[in-house]
Amino acid sequence: MQGLPVSRGIRDRAAIIGMGCTRFGERWDATPEDLVNEAFEEAMADAGIAKEDIDAAWFGVFYEEQNTGKSAYPLSQYLRLANIPVTRVENLCATGTEALRGAVYAVAAGACDTALAMGCEKLKDTGFAGLPERTKGTFEDLYQPNFTPPGAFAQLGAAYAAKHGIGMGDLKKAMAHICWKSHENGFGNEKAHLRKKLTVEQILDAPMVAYPLGVLDCCGVSDGAACAIVTRPEIARSLGRDSFVTVKSIQLSPSNGAEMGHGSWDGAYTLTTRTAAARAYAEAGISDPARDIGLTEVHDCFSITELVLMEDLGLSGEGRAPADVLDGRYDSGGDIPCQTDGGLKCFGHPIGASGLRMNYELYLQLLGRAGDRQLAGPEFGLAHNLGGIPNRNVSAISILGMNS
Amino acid sequence: MRARSGITDYDSFVPSQALSRAAIADALGWIKPSIRGMARGARRYADWDEDVLTMSVGACRRIVAAAHEAPGQLCLASTTAPFLDRQNAGVIATALDLPETTRTFEFSGSQRAALSALISLSESTQSALLVSSDKRPTRSGSPLEMLAGDAAAAVYLDNRDVIAEIILTRSIQADFVDHYRTVGSRGDYTLEDRWFRDEGLLRIVPEVVKPLLADAGSGPSDISHFILAVPDPSMIRAVGKSLGIDAKNISDNLFGDCGHAGAAHPLLMLADVLDRARPGERILLCAFGQGCDAVLLRTTDRIWQKSERIPLADTLQRGRTHDNYMRLLVARDKLDMDWGMRAERDNRTAHSVAYTKSRDVYALVGGKCLTCGTPQFPKARRCVNPQCGALDTQTDYRFADLKAAVKTFTEDWLAFTRTPPLIYGNVSFNGGGNIFLEMTGFGPGEVEIGTPVRPEFRIKDIDKQRGFHRYFWKAAPYAGASGV
């Protein structure tokens, strides 16, 4: 608005002083209550605060019908919170980052001192592999295709190959490298769902699920929970911390229907990632992401997604991602390591928790607490969390760094 | 009062799926050796997402697009329309985007329903679109399974620009039962051929035809095309011979590449004849079923007028013929198949929404923004063009008759469909507009980016819990596309 000061954004206005993440996987014997408490206890021990210090909470759950049920009170009940405000959020697979955004915005706005962001999903109680079938709304059910996530994301493959004149065989090799790398990374991660090394040949030879995606191009479907405790930087300092993680940016970009209904999108990239990334880099003060971003955790629900995201995030040039991937640029020893914890592919994908799990890895790496997979001093870490399908989705990007 | 009407246009729809009859004999001949004698050619069948209504829309769509004005009446003739109490003709009219003032109704109950309708409509002063369509249930191993095929055929009746005049009509009714089907039965109960031929066809058809020809001042030698829509070609020859019609003028009943399409068959055979007829020829069109309806037609000079119609014989040459009998059973939902948990999704329809959005969903009418000119589906309050976004600027814009090309696609082996893989993707329409659509009529490896498609009215989802199914449009190959 004319004459009024422009928003400063949220850079460095919220600190993360504690995070927790359960082991992801087939947690047959655990309930959402168990998973939430497991993540929460780790985060509270990390933060060194009392439960009574939490002023508000945001709770991310996607498939509530297979999980906790609707509303905020499951979290309040599991943690026996003192009737503090709890907001249940859902934004497809970007639900975890959406929960974090709520907590960070509340702290940055000064509405509260300390907030909790929790995400939880219990996918393995559906009785079958993959994600449950769901309706799309009373009108959309009448005309939308009965797509599955792999089928919807697979469409990026043929469109990308056609746009950049790359043969499907060569594209598949780059996609296989992406999966191979995540299995290498996930192998050493005790909290990861899939801890098995694979060869590129095994990945290429896997049965086809949705052309051109084979079954090993798809991420794990897991149970898990992850959380963050967010507070004002002054409070972090008052707790005796000199050096702590702050949020440099969180940006969210949902589709407005243009990709699905307008001819301006060619099907070979995720439009919302590009708009969210531009805003996130501006908010974080990053002018050259390929130089400044030290590691990424991106939404590798399928190998082809990770590949196009490298371009959408400005890390690879247009049409360059396959070559950069095959050069090892995004391997753990490369210039910009991606999915050092195994990613959705191997750490797993309990939907409501995934965005927070990505930020958990950034947090560990920035604090030098990533153990065997610790990178050498990254300045900024970027998490990209995508909900929906390529032609209609929600992109969430968070950038973390240390306090200045 | 307007003059008596004649046929001004016609068309047909034949499903692309064709099962070789040898495959049926191979599958069941060990039980029923008698069917081996009929194991020639291929029969067409409606796939799981096709039925009387989708085939009807396929037969009518070009006629409606080419007509000077919307028909005043729409009549469906069928013995296998999917709804017993929900007007089937209304679904067709909605899909064709006909005006609300269209008089819609149905004829049923007999193999001659279409000609009974034709005779009634010919006496009306209002233009009419008559479509006949049948997807007969056929029990495994029955002769009808070999003889039948699924199809639809339509004629437009009006009193100007007539291509075939209706000279005279005549009917006779007789409660003669050679076969029957009751509500809930799984197929026809059929009596022996000789009863049907000798006491039925050979006695009753002449009782109609002879006085008809006499009244018209014609004799059998004046008939250039004799059409008798019954399944067995040898019976047609026998009746033609008994009437004194020259064997070369007895029309082929399309057994080889289609099969007998029930109540749709008289108009289907007529379509085939009109494709090849010359001006001034007399066509004797007969349908049998608890009596007989006969229509004497004479073609006009306009029979040779240009049309985008694809000759039926060409369509019949382009079937997707295969020899997997199981596919027929699956298309008919006769196999107790384990479809997996993905098939459990609840396909309950919100009928209030389906009604409010009936032009969107059934007629594939989207919007075109008057501000920026962008076509879009569905029509929305605000324009989808990211450079525009104007509020309430869209006029109706029908996508159903536009050609399109595949922009992105996949072959999805995980998604539930009765014909895996489920193929779907973003489709770009000529003139603008993108719709995310399921595709139909393609097999694995047959779709590429850029593959030409056009919308085809199809069953979208089946709600077994509530005995309902809903329709939408899918992207299908069109003539000219590779492999079609």
Side-chain angles (χ1 to χ4, degrees):
Chain A
M1 297 297 142
Q2 245 180 349
L4 297 175
V6 174
S7 162
R8 293 179 293 127
I10 60 156
R11 188 194 336 172
D12 290 327
R13 293 169 70 183
I16 301 178
I17 55 167
M19 289 198 78
C21 182
T22 68
R23 180 172 64 78
F24 283 9
E26 293 169 340
R27 301 288 303 266
W28 305 113
D29 58 348
T31 62
E33 179 188 14
D34 296 325
L35 296 171
V36 161
N37 274 288
E38 189 177 325
F40 185 68
E41 285 304 301
E42 181 187 348
M44 290 299 282
D46 182 14
I49 61 169
K51 193 167 79 175
E52 291 67 33
D53 295 329
I54 298 170
D55 302 317
W58 276 259
F59 185 36
V61 168
F62 178 52
Y63 285 111
E64 80 275 353
E65 66 275 27
Q66 302 288 347
N67 190 357
T68 58
K70 288 187 191 296
S71 98
Y73 64 67
L75 182 72
S76 189
Q77 191 170 302
Y78 299 157
L79 299 179
R80 301 295 183 202
L81 298 173
N83 310 110
I84 62 167
V86 181
T87 305
R88 185 253 163 137
V89 296
E90 182 280 300
N91 222 339
L92 299 170
C93 292
T95 295
T97 303
E98 189 66 288
L100 179 64
R101 194 170 75 104
V104 166
Y105 271 31
V107 169
C112 63
D113 287 335
T114 301
L116 167 69
M118 173 70 75
C120 175
E121 207 74 40
K122 196 75 184 59
L123 294 175
K124 299 310 297 182
D125 293 340
T126 59
F128 74 108
L131 299 178
E133 287 281 316
R134 63 195 172 86
T135 62
K136 302 173 184 74
T138 51
F139 179 34
E140 297 216 349
D141 274 348
L142 302 179
Y143 69 94
Q144 288 283 4
N146 294 325
F147 63 82
T148 64
F153 278 93
Q155 318 239 343
L156 287 168
Y160 186 92
K163 179 181 182 180
H164 296 294
I166 179 173
M168 191 53 82
D170 289 336
L171 186 61
K172 285 277 287 179
K173 279 181 198 159
M175 289 157 59
H177 184 99
I178 285 169
C179 301
W180 167 84
K181 166 267 298 165
S182 293
H183 276 270
E184 290 289 311
N185 294 350
F187 180 74
N189 183 349
E190 291 184 352
K191 289 186 173 179
H193 180 173
L194 303 174
R195 300 186 61 205
K196 185 182 175 187
K197 294 194 180 194
L198 293 177
T199 66
V200 168
E201 291 69 32
Q202 281 176 301
I203 295 161
L204 287 172
D205 291 344
M208 195 64 76
V209 171
Y211 173 85
L213 299 177
V215 69
L216 292 174
D217 286 295
C218 309
C219 72
V221 172
S222 325
D223 301 328
C227 69
I229 292 167
V230 181
T231 193
R232 289 160 49 205
E234 311 83 281
I235 296 176
R237 280 191 202 90
S238 76
L239 290 168
R241 296 168 193 240
D242 297 327
S243 184
F244 49 86
V245 170
T246 62
V247 179
K248 304 299 179 183
S249 174
I250 297 187
Q251 286 294 335
L252 189 78
S253 176
S255 292
N256 58 23
E259 300 99 303
M260 193 174 277
H262 189 250
S264 49
W265 179 68
D266 61 22
Y269 65 99
T270 64
L271 177 95
T272 56
T273 302
R274 297 185 178 205
T275 54
R279 287 203 299 267
Y281 294 144
E283 185 170 45
I286 291 171
S287 57
D288 183 353
R291 180 194 66 203
D292 296 336
I293 301 289
L295 80 151
T296 63
E297 287 287 329
V298 304
H299 202 86
D300 58 327
C301 48
F302 304 97
S303 56
I304 188 65
T305 324
E306 181 171 326
L307 185 132
V308 304
L309 288 172
M310 294 301 105
E311 295 177 17
D312 296 341
L313 292 169
L315 305 178
S316 281
E318 286 284 328
R320 288 289 307 159
D324 287 347
V325 163
L326 290 168
D327 284 349
R329 188 161 193 243
Y330 305 114
D331 294 353
S332 58
D335 284 352
I336 315 170
C338 180
Q339 333 289 52
T340 47
D341 62 354
L344 297 175
K345 177 75 180 83
C346 294
F347 204 133
H349 187 21
I351 297 176
S354 283
L356 284 156
R357 184 277 302 162
M358 296 170 176
N359 283 283
Y360 177 73
E361 177 66 5
L362 305 182
Y363 176 83
L364 295 180
Q365 291 281 2
L366 289 166
L367 292 173
R369 286 163 41 181
D372 292 345
R373 59 181 191 271
Q374 181 63 47
L375 303 173
E379 186 184 359
F380 295 112
L382 178 147
H384 165 272
N385 193 194
L386 181 81
I389 58 177
N391 61 5
R392 191 169 57 177
N393 56 66
V394 177
S395 271
I397 291 176
S398 51
I399 299 175
L400 306 186
M402 300 303 290
N403 62 316
S404 40
Chain B
M1 187 165 160
R2 293 167 77 172
R4 185 184 182 90
S5 54
I7 293 170
T8 63
D9 201 355
Y10 66 96
D11 213 332
S12 60
F13 180 90
V14 181
S16 62
Q17 291 294 332
L19 174 62
S20 82
R21 293 193 180 87
I24 304 176
D26 286 348
L28 300 172
W30 63 281
I31 303 172
K32 283 281 189 77
S34 59
I35 64 174
R36 292 190 198 278
M38 290 182 275
R40 305 183 307 280
R43 62 156 293 180
R44 295 297 183 104
Y45 67 92
D47 215 333
W48 74 268
D49 62 351
E50 294 174 301
D51 68 2
V52 161
L53 304 188
T54 67
M55 293 191 294
S56 294
V57 172
C60 292
R61 57 189 297 185
R62 188 204 54 77
I63 297 174
V64 171
H68 299 299
E69 58 183 16
Q73 309 173 80
L74 174 82
C75 176
L76 167 67
S78 177
T79 70
T80 54
F83 293 96
L84 291 175
D85 191 350
R86 176 208 182 182
Q87 200 191 49
N88 298 284
V91 176
I92 299 168
T94 307
L96 294 169
D97 204 25
L98 297 181
E100 287 175 341
T101 50
T102 310
R103 189 187 298 166
T104 54
F105 51 93
E106 299 172 23
F107 275 56
S108 186
S110 163
Q111 296 288 300
R112 64 183 167 100
L115 291 199
S116 304
L118 177 66
I119 291 168
S120 296
L121 290 167
S122 73
E123 290 161 3
S124 163
T125 56
Q126 224 183 356
S127 64
L129 180 56
L130 165 63
V131 60
S132 57
S133 178
D134 244 345
K135 176 186 177 183
R136 297 170 80 181
T138 53
R139 301 188 72 180
S140 293
S142 63
L144 193 59
E145 186 178 41
M146 298 294 271
L147 291 164
D150 304 329
V155 291
Y156 195 102
L157 302 170
D158 205 350
N159 53 13
R160 54 177 176 162
D161 302 337
V162 167
I163 61 173
E165 300 167 318
I166 296 169
I167 302 170
L168 268 181
T169 67
R170 194 173 181 96
S171 299
I172 191 167
Q173 75 82 20
D175 185 28
F176 178 86
V177 179
D178 56 273
H179 76 278
Y180 64 88
R181 194 171 69 249
T182 43
V183 171
S185 66
R186 292 154 66 199
D188 289 11
Y189 189 85
T190 307
L191 285 84
E192 70 167 309
D193 281 353
R194 287 193 306 214
W195 166 245
F196 178 42
R197 185 189 60 203
D198 299 344
E199 280 301 300
L201 293 174
L202 285 168
R203 284 178 69 98
I204 295 174
V205 176
E207 284 181 38
V208 182
V209 168
K210 285 179 176 170
L212 174 75
L213 291 181
D215 288 354
S218 299
S221 59
D222 298 323
I223 302 303
S224 303
H225 306 276
F226 172 60
I227 298 172
L228 175 60
V230 295
D232 185 338
S234 69
M235 293 192 195
I236 302 171
R237 287 192 295 273
V239 175
K241 188 179 173 186
S242 80
L243 291 169
I245 290 169
D246 194 329
K248 72 176 189 327
N249 293 335
I250 295 173
S251 300
D252 175 57
N253 83 331
L254 312 173
F255 169 80
D257 296 310
C258 181
H260 188 263
H265 213 63
L267 297 185
L268 189 71
M269 288 180 70
L270 177 66
D272 184 50
V273 164
L274 290 175
D275 282 340
R276 285 178 277 103
R278 305 161 63 88
E281 291 186 335
R282 287 177 184 236
I283 300 168
L284 178 59
L285 174 59
C286 301
F288 185 87
Q290 290 75 55
C292 179
D293 288 319
V295 178
L296 185 63
L297 298 153
R298 181 173 53 223
T299 53
T300 72
D301 292 342
R302 297 190 65 87
I303 190 75
W304 280 343
Q305 72 183 335
K306 280 193 167 39
S307 164
E308 287 181 23
R309 181 193 312 115
I310 297 167
L312 177 58
D314 291 5
T315 304
L316 292 178
Q317 289 298 308
R318 290 197 300 250
R320 296 171 62 86
T321 306
H322 64 81
D323 53 10
N324 184 354
Y325 180 66
M326 287 294 174
R327 293 186 75 104
L328 176 69
L329 296 187
V330 167
R332 288 289 198 263
D333 195 24
K334 287 169 73 169
L335 199 61
D336 186 16
M337 185 76 197
D338 175 5
W339 291 110
M341 292 188 188
R342 286 186 185 276
E344 293 170 6
R345 188 189 51 215
D346 189 343
N347 285 319
R348 181 188 168 278
T349 297
H351 287 285
S352 52
V353 177
Y355 181 59
T356 305
K357 299 286 190 183
S358 62
R359 279 194 82 204
D360 306 57
V361 175
Y362 279 24
L364 201 63
V365 172
K368 184 171 187 175
C369 177
L370 290 173
T371 301
C372 72
T374 300
Q376 51 206 279
F377 183 89
K379 188 179 179 181
R381 295 293 303 275
R382 291 184 187 272
C383 175
V384 75
N385 177 358
Q387 308 304 318
C388 178
L391 176 65
D392 293 336
T393 56
Q394 294 178 42
T395 54
D396 293 342
Y397 186 83
R398 184 162 144 96
F399 285 92
D401 295 320
L402 300 177
K403 302 224 172 15
V406 173
K407 183 159 90 172
T408 72
F409 76 99
T410 192
E411 296 164 2
D412 190 335
W413 293 94
L414 190 62
F416 164 60
T417 170
R418 291 164 182 82
T419 46
L422 184 68
I423 302 176
Y424 54 93
N426 295 285
V427 171
S428 301
F429 283 78
N430 290 359
N434 283 255
I435 312 181
F436 193 33
L437 287 172
E438 288 181 22
M439 300 181 198
T440 190
F442 292 104
E446 293 179 355
V447 178
E448 293 173 13
I449 287 178
T451 295
V453 291
R454 72 166 187 171
E456 212 166 79
F457 191 64
R458 291 284 180 136
I459 293 171
K460 171 74 168 63
D461 294 302
I462 295 172
D463 178 0
K464 281 200 166 181
Q465 269 193 69
R466 301 169 189 83
F468 191 75
H469 52 271
R470 56 193 180 211
Y471 300 86
F472 184 55
W473 298 75
K474 300 181 184 178
Y478 68 86
S482 60
V484 180

